[in-house]
Amino acid sequence: MNSLGDAHVRTWTLRFMALLAADIDDQLVWLGERELDTKGVVEEAELLCRVSEGLAERGVFEPEDLDRLRDIGCRLGAIDATCRDGLWADALATDPAWDDIRSLARRFLLTTLGDWRQPLPRPARPHTRNH
């Protein structure tokens, strides 16, 4: 990957981790009316954690950052398949795994950026269909 691509993936990783680290109320506000599947959130975060291995090899992330991302990836991987079904907003309120993930994401951001409180990514616009 080139340095521009590395920078983009690093930025997306930091923004996504900021979303995972946010207080549940902020996460729910960010979601708004969006019906985001838990499975999609888990898969996106797991992908970012895996891709970060290569970023660390190229010096984009520090070894301690990678350790924290591995911890997040492991915790995400431990989420039971049945807990991946349904909407993320519901999972945030009922599955304690998201409290663990929030804590791990905060530690990652503290190590990487010095503060876990970061701007959340801009939400994607809701998909609308033309009939």
Side-chain angles (χ1 to χ4, degrees), residues 3-60:
S3 61
L4 184 58
D6 284 354
H8 176 75
V9 175
R10 182 181 191 278
T11 298
W12 179 237
T13 301
L14 293 172
R15 287 182 180 159
F16 205 85
M17 291 302 133
L19 178 60
L20 295 179
D23 290 326
I24 188 170
D25 292 339
D26 294 330
Q27 291 169 326
L28 294 172
V29 167
W30 183 87
L31 280 167
E33 297 296 315
R34 283 171 212 78
E35 295 184 346
L36 198 58
D37 291 331
T38 303
K39 181 180 178 183
V41 173
V42 169
E43 289 174 352
E44 182 77 17
E46 285 180 318
L47 175 64
L48 290 170
C49 291
R50 283 192 310 272
V51 169
S52 295
E53 297 271 342
L55 294 177
E57 288 173 7
R58 292 185 295 282
V60 177

Side-chain angles (χ1 to χ4, degrees), residues 77-98:
I79 294 176
D80 184 90
T82 58
C83 293
R84 293 179 186 215
D85 289 337
L87 299 177
W88 190 42
D90 296 336
L92 285 170
T94 60
D95 188 349
W98 293 102

